[in-house]
Amino acid sequence: MKDLFEKIYRDKGPLGKWAAQAEGYFVFPKLEGQISNRMKFQGKDVITWSINDYLGLANHPEVRKVDAEAAAQYGSAYPMGARMMSGHTDLHEKLQNELAAFVNKEAAYLLNFGYQGMVSTVDALVSKDDIIVYDVDAHACIIDGVRLHMGKRFTYKHNDVESLEKNLERATKMAEQTGGGILVISEGVFGMRGEQGRLKEIVALKKKFNFRLFVDDAHGFGTLGATGAGAGEEQGVQDDIDVYFATFAKSLASTGAFIAADKEIIDYLKYNLRSQMFAKSLQMQLVVGALKRLDMLRTMPELKQNLWKIVDALQSGLKSRGFNIGTTQSCVTPVYLKGSIPEAMALVRDLRENHGIFCSIVVYPVIPKGMILLRMIPTATHTLQDVEETLDAFDAIRDRLDNGTYKRMSAALIAAMGE
């Protein structure tokens, strides 16, 4: 019999094998200073394009004031216990009601964390007789939720409605045999590519198939739609989303999340969400802070306007200079380049050390081998000067990638890794 840890000693995984070269710099980096458009990385000032503070609320003086007052009043422990036992308050209910109204749903329920809440919601919505059909590029939290499902599940090609329809046909035949139902899961905005889920086309398939739609709108909430209610509002199908999910970790610059749906659905979920039933309630400081942030989102449209001024300048500037940003339809701005993982390391080091630009790097296995994705998150705190400096830096690194500079720089690393 093998030692359980033998596989760990033998194979660190596609990313873990680079830990000695990457950790502390390319992965698990340490940004310092107040959350803003410019922070410090290893003692140097950098323009930061990797902070999910879309609306610039993280260090807004009104938000900081409310957060500090709530911390002073309630501390970081209150309320103690799970919501069902001793962790329920009027302010939790108030936030839920305001969130439901904001996304045009009958009811909402708070989640301690987006990731665990998504996993638990998927688990609670389906039984072993039900079938899940979900986008192959779904976020890890959706995939982990689907893994808990003891019934059948099918993936459809990313944002491919024809593929979805074929899988719905398969799911329908199977559901007729099992006596179950069908849950379709899509993202409102896919966080790596920036594409909106094709919610309008998915909803149209309800005329032909009997399914319920669950949408993860983490990146759409606060950034899309006339009021900021997300991708469903942007596409005119918010009412047709059966269960809506969003997190506080992006536009609200905080911790927590929520689900929203018809009241009867929420009433069921709040009694069956294991990650909430058996976990401590969302602390009061975060609840009060979220109420303030939501109020600013409702009453300060200039926050979203400032965000989109930067988004438009960055994305149009990249396209005009010949960069491939894919088919993003959101604030998420991917820049696709060709190169190996060692080349990507050399490129990003140059970008950070010599140009003062910090953005996230994404490589295989998240994207195909031979590709480098530089993922940029514009925010309302960025300036047009930030955009211009970044565009100039990207011109420079592309030239060095194309002329082989990074390949030569990475040769020693490749040899050391035996690649």
Side-chain angles (χ1 to χ4, degrees):
M1 183 174 67
K2 290 183 178 180
D3 178 357
L4 176 67
F5 289 169
E6 181 180 337
K7 60 182 178 293
I8 297 175
Y9 301 138
R10 185 180 66 251
D11 183 5
K12 302 300 183 183
L15 291 179
K17 71 177 182 178
W18 298 99
Q21 292 79 19
E23 192 163 321
Y25 195 92
F26 303 103
V27 295
F28 302 104
K30 299 173 184 177
L31 284 167
E32 298 177 328
Q34 292 194 353
I35 295 172
S36 184
N37 60 319
R38 293 180 184 246
M39 299 174 68
K40 284 190 178 294
F41 178 64
Q42 297 198 339
K44 296 183 178 181
D45 291 326
V46 291
I47 302 173
T48 52
W49 294 103
S50 63
I51 304 297
N52 291 324
D53 181 24
Y54 282 123
L55 301 178
L57 296 181
N59 267 303
H60 194 287
E62 292 184 38
V63 167
R64 291 289 295 267
K65 182 174 183 292
V66 168
D67 284 352
E69 290 173 349
Q73 181 176 357
Y74 296 104
S76 61
Y78 182 80
M80 287 298 294
R83 290 282 294 281
M84 292 186 72
M85 303 300 290
S86 57
H88 188 67
T89 73
D90 287 340
L91 288 178
H92 284 75
E93 287 188 352
K94 176 179 171 63
L95 178 55
Q96 288 173 172
N97 292 337
E98 292 192 12
L99 286 166
F102 184 74
V103 298
N104 197 34
K105 297 296 180 186
E106 285 185 356
Y109 195 67
L110 291 178
L111 308 169
N112 293 349
F113 295 97
Y115 199 108
Q116 68 163 200
M118 172 58 71
V119 169
S120 195
T121 302
V122 174
D123 179 52
L125 285 172
V126 292
S127 67
K128 64 180 179 60
D129 295 327
D130 300 322
I131 293 89
I132 298 175
V133 183
Y134 64 105
D135 192 296
V136 71
D137 276 5
H139 189 270
C141 64
I142 296 173
I143 293 171
D144 285 353
V146 171
R147 283 175 174 170
L148 293 177
H149 179 43
M150 293 184 290
K152 292 290 184 180
R153 66 257 196 170
F154 302 116
T155 58
Y156 62 93
K157 295 177 183 177
H158 174 60
N159 257 354
D160 188 323
V161 177
E162 182 179 347
S163 175
L164 171 58
E165 187 167 359
K166 288 179 180 178
N167 280 283
L168 281 171
E169 289 172 354
R170 298 170 65 195
T172 298
K173 290 177 182 178
M174 190 159 291
E176 289 170 350
Q177 295 173 358
T178 64
I182 301 172
L183 178 67
V184 172
I185 308 176
S186 176
E187 295 190 47
V189 172
F190 289 86
M192 286 295 162
R193 302 173 187 245
E195 298 163 339
Q196 291 183 42
R198 297 182 66 180
L199 305 182
K200 190 171 184 178
E201 291 90 340
I202 295 173
V203 164
L205 290 175
K206 285 188 172 185
K207 296 176 182 177
K208 186 176 180 180
F209 300 96
N210 182 16
F211 65 87
R212 294 293 187 171
L213 176 60
F214 183 18
V215 173
D216 174 351
D217 204 24
H219 289 274
F221 177 75
T223 67
L224 295 175
T227 69
E233 182 182 49
E234 179 83 8
Q235 298 181 37
V237 293
Q238 185 75 356
D239 292 346
D240 298 292
I241 296 173
D242 296 295
V243 181
Y244 179 89
F245 165 95
T247 175
F248 300 162
K250 273 69 176 183
S251 288
L252 296 192
S254 186
T255 299
F258 70 99
I259 46 174
D262 290 347
K263 184 177 184 301
E264 192 167 355
I265 305 304
I266 294 299
D267 285 345
Y268 170 82
L269 287 172
K270 73 182 183 182
Y271 282 93
N272 290 277
L273 286 169
R274 295 175 64 82
S275 68
Q276 308 308 305
M277 294 168 64
F278 302 107
K280 183 182 180 297
S281 174
L282 191 67
Q283 69 186 61
M284 191 65 83
Q285 178 187 359
L286 296 174
V287 173
V288 173
L291 281 164
K292 174 61 178 178
R293 290 161 168 82
L294 181 60
D295 181 63
M296 294 174 71
L297 180 54
R298 281 192 307 248
T299 61
M300 298 174 65
E302 64 270 21
L303 295 173
K304 187 158 74 76
Q305 291 167 4
N306 290 339
L307 165 64
W308 276 96
K309 179 181 72 174
I310 299 302
V311 173
D312 291 339
L314 179 64
Q315 293 184 357
S316 62
L318 286 166
K319 286 191 287 188
S320 69
R321 296 183 186 218
F323 286 95
N324 177 11
I325 65 169
T327 56
T328 180
Q329 302 155 314
S330 69
C331 303
V332 179
T333 306
V335 178
Y336 298 95
L337 301 167
K338 292 183 179 180
S340 65
I341 292 178
E343 284 178 292
M345 290 180 173
L347 179 154
V348 170
R349 185 176 292 279
D350 186 21
L351 197 59
R352 294 176 181 176
E353 298 299 323
N354 300 316
H355 298 282
I357 306 296
F358 188 102
C359 61
S360 298
I361 175 178
V362 183
V363 294
Y364 177 82
V366 179
I367 59 173
K369 285 184 177 180
M371 294 293 296
I372 303 169
L373 189 160
L374 299 176
R375 178 174 176 263
M376 306 177 73
I377 302 293
T379 74
T381 64
H382 283 103
T383 66
L384 295 178
Q385 179 63 34
D386 295 336
V387 172
E388 285 303 312
E389 288 183 33
T390 300
L391 293 174
D392 290 343
F394 271 54
D395 279 338
I397 63 165
R398 179 175 54 187
D399 289 344
R400 292 186 175 186
L401 183 64
D402 291 344
N403 67 26
T405 298
Y406 298 136
K407 190 171 185 177
R408 292 189 293 274
M409 292 171 63
S410 64
L413 179 58
I414 294 173
M417 294 301 298
E419 291 290 306

